[in-house]
Amino acid sequence: MGIDKSNVRYVIHYNMPQSMENYYQEAGRAGRDGEPAQCILLFLIQDVMIDKFLLEKKDFSGLDEEEAELVKQRGRRRLQVMEEYCRIALCLRNYILNYFGEKAYRPCDNCGNCHREYREQDMTVQAKQVINCVAETRGRYGLNIVLGTLMGADRARLRELGTVNYRSYGVLKEYKEPLLRSLVSRLVEEGYLYQTQDQYSVVKMGDITPLKNESAKVMVRIYEEKEPDNRPKRNGCPGQKCPYVRRV
């Protein structure tokens, strides 16, 4: 911040910013001279957990209880937007534009997602199984509980909650968690599910009416992983991409 330099070629975020407003301003430090530039965002789910913890522990002594809760809700929503940005498989530029109220009609063909190789997989059957699981939870639990149940995870918390007795327990055990998170994100994008914005976010049912149509499909982008280049670089780092890199 505060750098008066027009020819910055790279902006690297080691941690996820707490809001899209912050990210947009910080990424905008690159390429002010009109030449090509890159913004690289490194993301792990722990970033979200840390930011949520800091938000809940923030000093709101100058506000009454209702005002403090409103500020927290807005902060949670901003974090949710940033997490969606880090996970989304669609055009990243369009996501930013849509967030700020601008209409985007076609992919930019310039961001990390537009340049990644992928194939679309029909996961309609799996999507309905996710929805069935959320229905069984009656909207009481968060995403980690839902995913753990679907994957048949051996966790004390699942036994405590009784989700190991659900019909949906273990029905998607052959799928990896990142793919199932992408599927849930897709269901949220389509409005079939939604996540609350309170302190302990839970997954609830949305409008599943369109999915009852036999022609309706839920397509998820599956990125093709390239073989890593393990040749040593000058700085000693292997030549492979971090799977959580997002470039704008």
Side-chain angles (χ1 to χ4, degrees):
M1 299 298 291
I3 298 176
D4 185 16
K5 188 174 176 63
S6 64
N7 61 342
V8 174
R9 298 273 71 84
Y10 294 92
V11 172
I12 301 175
H13 285 85
Y14 186 76
N15 300 101
M16 185 190 79
Q18 295 182 336
S19 71
M20 181 58 70
E21 288 81 359
N22 289 353
Y23 180 69
Y24 185 76
Q25 182 184 45
E26 293 158 9
R29 300 282 169 177
R32 291 192 171 185
D33 56 2
E35 296 299 322
Q38 286 188 323
C39 179
I40 300 174
L41 168 58
L42 305 179
F43 164 78
L44 286 175
I45 190 59
Q46 286 87 341
D47 295 341
V48 182
M49 298 169 61
I50 292 171
D51 285 336
K52 285 182 177 179
F53 175 81
L54 293 176
L55 177 63
E56 297 303 325
K57 297 300 181 181
K58 191 174 181 179
D59 182 14
F60 295 104
S61 56
L63 304 175
D64 61 36
E65 185 175 345
E66 184 176 345
E67 291 173 331
E69 182 57 30
L70 180 59
V71 172
K72 287 182 179 180
Q73 287 182 1
R74 290 172 178 169
R76 295 176 195 129
R77 175 54 186 162
R78 291 189 183 102
L79 288 176
Q80 188 176 38
V81 167
M82 279 306 305
E83 182 180 1
E84 288 174 357
Y85 174 80
C86 292
R87 295 184 181 281
I88 197 169
L90 304 177
C91 174
L92 297 174
R93 180 176 182 272
N94 286 358
Y95 184 91
I96 294 175
L97 291 176
N98 290 335
Y99 175 78
F100 288 110
E102 295 188 37
K103 292 293 184 180
Y105 299 99
R106 60 178 63 88
C108 70
D109 194 30
N110 195 45
C111 71
N113 278 356
C114 286
H115 284 177
R116 293 179 70 182
E117 295 180 6
Y118 68 90
R119 58 183 172 82
E120 286 196 328
Q121 180 171 323
D122 184 350
M123 298 194 70
T124 309
V125 173
Q126 294 81 356
K128 292 180 178 180
Q129 291 170 326
V130 172
I131 290 172
N132 288 339
C133 182
V134 175
E136 285 190 281
T137 68
R138 299 180 182 178
R140 294 174 294 176
Y141 306 132
L143 181 57
N144 288 335
I145 296 297
V146 172
L147 292 178
T149 301
L150 289 165
M151 297 173 66
D154 183 16
R155 301 177 190 166
R157 181 58 175 163
L158 299 184
R159 292 191 292 272
E160 178 185 343
L161 296 174
T163 66
V164 295
N165 300 316
Y166 286 1
R167 294 178 62 182
S168 55
Y169 180 76
V171 295
L172 298 179
K173 60 184 178 182
E174 69 270 28
Y175 295 93
K176 294 183 179 180
E177 184 174 334
L179 177 57
L180 293 182
R181 284 186 177 272
S182 296
L183 174 57
V184 172
S185 294
R186 187 62 180 167
L187 293 174
V188 171
E189 290 170 21
E190 296 292 337
Y192 299 129
L193 300 175
Y194 71 94
Q195 289 182 267
T196 63
Q197 298 174 27
D198 48 14
Q199 180 178 359
Y200 301 103
S201 176
V202 297
V203 183
K204 291 182 175 289
M205 299 286 290
D207 181 11
I208 63 172
T209 304
L211 199 54
K212 294 179 181 180
N213 190 321
E214 292 184 0
S215 63
K217 294 184 180 296
V218 177
M219 307 298 293
V220 177
R221 287 187 172 185
I222 309 296
Y223 287 107
E224 305 291 349
E225 296 296 335
K226 297 181 179 180
E227 289 296 323
D229 180 3
N230 291 318
R231 292 173 297 176
K233 302 298 182 181
R234 292 182 180 179
N235 59 3
C237 296
Q240 57 190 84
K241 288 184 178 179
C242 168
Y244 300 102
V245 168
R246 288 286 187 262
R247 290 188 177 88
V248 179

